[in-house]
Amino acid sequence: MSHGIRWSVWLRHGAVALCYALGYALLRQVSWSHWVLFTGYRLSVLLLVPYRYWPALVIGEIGPLAYVSLSCLESFGWVWSSLMLVPPIALAMPVVKACRDRLSMIPARGPVRMGAVLICTLVISGLWSLMNLAALSVVKTPSNYPPIDYGVAAAQYFIGNYLGILTLVPLVLMVWEGRAKRAASWRVTIENALRGRLAIESVAFVLPALALLVWIGLEASSVGSRQVAQMLMFLPVIWLALRHGWHGAAVGGAVASIAVVVTMPELRDTSTLQAEVFVAFATTSMLLFGSRIAQLHQQKGHGGEPAEKSLDLARRIQAQCEAQLRQTSLGIELISETVHATEEMMFERLRQFRPQVDSRELRRRTTVTREQLFQLADGLNPVTLREQGLAAALRHGGIARALNSHRIGYWCRARGGVDQLSHPMQLALHRLVCEVVTHLCAAHSVGDLTVHLRSGQHAGRRWAVVRIDALFSADSGLLVRGGPLLHRLAATGLGMDAIRDRAALYEGTIKVHTTAHGECISMMVYDDEADSLEQVVLVERTTPEIFSFS
């Protein structure tokens, strides 16, 4: 058993070493003096591969280095070949480990710390450049070979390493961060990235602009024109960084560095080196700037959490208040039934002892009392809303009966998926309409009143719009004063401020417009009810149809 586990571990380490060696060898074929792409590959692997596989990476790099060392042994000497056997990845490991552990460069949760990544990049680029200079200083050269300018060589090595890292590492970290946030596979993460706005804008705008600059650089008749075209390639980096943060800077920097290298007329071209310095500086600045933008967005999101928690708390409290109103409504219904039974018993006894007494007036009054109790219970917990939904409650419920009793014309028009709104939202809209109707009828002589209700869904959020059109009348008798309408609709009568506060629980906005013959009040709310709001625990649930939120 232990022997099989040991073989499995060795096979995994061997596979890591082999894969790394193949990638290293392939990227070495597309690297130039000013653009050492395999250094970006080397650092990307160090950033993401677990520490237990680092020895395998060292062994995987020794293979290609040994091949280069042996191939150039006669040309450059055994000292140079010996130095070439030292794997640069091993020298970078202490720096990367320190940045990963102490600077939290790539946290398990949260965004990548681009400042720490750039510090690590600068240190490692300088370290690998010193290695290259050390190897160059001991290289065996022909007698007629011109003297080596170590200053120019150091600049070439550093810019080549640094730009090679900037080309690959931010892209790799961008994909890794997207996968970590969504907890998805690499394939799904890459597919989502290709379908995102950043990829679309890069293909639609950045690539054509860079292609034009590359064409200008290749067709330029003078060195100055080509250099201007190369330096202008930093513009897409800035544009993408301003729109998408450091992710945009990562994509723009990679594409711009490739475009600069494509326009390089020859190896070790000085003008291209200057353009690469400019693009590297622009990419570094935009990565830092974009990272800061991302941090500000994150802090803003955290700052909004208390407000969201307060809003959720207010909604839960409102749901509990609605549950208490349901219990009160149930109690009133039970009292109404008890009163009705008592009345019937009294009428039966009255017929037995005083058969000559006319009880019609008494029956009329008891009927009015039961009707008032029903209206009060229905205002607290609308029966039609509970049984048939919001549209039916607005058309045939307490609002329609109350306005009809006061000789006010009333219509309700509903369209869209109104019944698909959650029950708490339907109840909240019903309360809002009751408050607005009470406010309008108490402040003006309303002759006709129309409620327009519409609902829909956008970006995964369901919304509802209510518009109440009131036509004023010159008949002062239509002005409803005092509490009759408030009692029948269970409205507070606190005015527009209370209506705005109630709508704000659902991110709602209230607008009041004065028309030629009346007034129009419109509101828009969003239905983002949590499951906890739809399941309020009640003390008693004797009548599930009344107390259920669903």
Side-chain angles (χ1 to χ4, degrees), residues 218-342:
L218 293 176
E219 298 294 328
S221 57
S222 62
V223 177
S225 300
R226 183 178 65 251
Q227 192 173 16
V228 169
Q230 290 175 333
M231 290 186 174
L232 287 178
M233 292 175 184
F234 80 96
L235 293 176
V237 182
I238 298 177
W239 184 72
L240 286 178
L242 293 176
R243 289 186 58 82
H244 302 282
W246 74 266
H247 289 184
V251 174
V255 179
S257 63
I258 294 173
V260 170
V261 171
V262 169
T263 57
M264 184 170 60
E266 59 183 1
L267 294 178
R268 300 176 178 83
D269 180 63
T270 306
S271 62
T272 302
L273 180 63
Q274 295 173 357
E276 285 184 335
V277 170
F278 198 73
V279 171
F281 175 77
T283 304
T284 303
S285 303
M286 290 300 104
L287 285 172
L288 289 173
F289 180 73
S291 178
R292 181 57 180 167
I293 291 176
Q295 290 179 1
L296 292 176
H297 283 308
Q298 185 183 14
Q299 292 174 2
K300 182 179 179 181
H302 290 325
E305 286 183 0
E308 293 178 0
K309 291 181 180 179
S310 300
L311 190 60
D312 291 339
L313 178 61
R315 290 175 181 174
R316 288 195 296 270
I317 293 174
Q318 185 193 31
Q320 294 171 6
C321 294
E322 292 292 349
Q324 292 175 349
L325 291 177
R326 284 186 174 86
Q327 290 180 307
T328 304
S329 176
L330 176 62
I332 294 174
E333 289 181 359
L334 294 176
I335 292 173
S336 178
E337 293 175 1
T338 303
V339 169
H340 179 64
T342 304

Side-chain angles (χ1 to χ4, degrees), residues 1-200:
M1 184 73 177
S2 61
H3 184 72
I5 295 175
R6 190 179 299 112
W7 269 107
S8 177
V9 172
W10 281 109
L11 285 176
R12 286 200 298 269
H13 282 74
V16 170
L18 181 60
C19 292
Y20 175 72
L22 289 176
Y24 181 90
L26 290 175
L27 288 177
R28 196 177 183 90
Q29 304 303 316
V30 292
S31 298
W32 292 274
S33 59
H34 294 2
W35 193 54
V36 188
L37 195 59
F38 61 82
T39 58
Y41 170 72
R42 182 188 290 153
L43 183 56
S44 300
V45 172
L46 281 178
L47 293 177
L48 300 181
V49 170
Y51 294 146
R52 63 179 179 273
Y53 292 114
W54 278 14
L57 298 178
V58 175
I59 296 174
E61 189 167 84
I62 288 177
L65 291 177
Y67 174 78
V68 175
S69 175
L70 293 176
S71 301
C72 303
L73 177 60
E74 295 183 359
S75 302
F76 299 146
W78 66 270
V79 179
W80 181 89
S81 298
S82 300
L83 288 177
M84 285 298 297
L85 291 176
V86 179
I89 195 172
L91 298 178
M93 285 179 178
V95 178
V96 175
K97 189 176 188 304
C99 292
R100 286 177 60 170
D101 295 343
R102 298 188 179 183
L103 299 182
S104 299
M105 184 166 51
I106 307 177
R109 295 181 180 179
V112 174
R113 297 188 177 181
M114 189 51 60
V117 173
L118 292 175
I119 291 174
C120 181
T121 300
L122 286 169
V123 174
I124 289 178
S125 299
L127 183 62
W128 288 340
S129 300
L130 290 177
M131 286 188 61
N132 293 331
L133 286 176
L136 183 64
S137 64
V138 299
V139 68
K140 184 177 68 175
T141 58
S143 56
N144 57 349
Y145 194 82
I148 299 175
D149 190 341
Y150 288 99
V152 176
Q156 291 177 349
Y157 287 141
F158 182 81
I159 293 300
N161 292 326
Y162 188 70
L163 196 59
I165 293 174
L166 289 183
T167 302
L168 279 185
V169 171
L171 287 177
V172 173
L173 293 180
M174 180 183 71
V175 177
W176 179 87
E177 187 179 77
R179 178 179 179 269
K181 286 182 178 179
R182 299 177 178 85
S185 62
W186 286 106
R187 182 181 61 83
V188 174
T189 303
I190 295 175
E191 288 180 356
N192 292 334
L194 293 177
R195 295 172 184 172
R197 179 176 292 181
L198 175 58
I200 295 174

Side-chain angles (χ1 to χ4, degrees), residues 455-494:
S455 177
Q457 190 169 358
H458 176 69
R461 304 183 71 193
R462 181 158 287 280
W463 52 266
V465 174
V466 180
R467 191 179 82 247
I468 302 173
D469 296 324
L471 296 180
F472 298 157
S473 173
D475 186 0
S476 60
L478 296 176
L479 186 64
V480 182
R481 299 183 181 275
L485 194 60
L486 297 179
H487 296 160
R488 297 189 65 171
L489 301 183
T492 62
L494 298 178

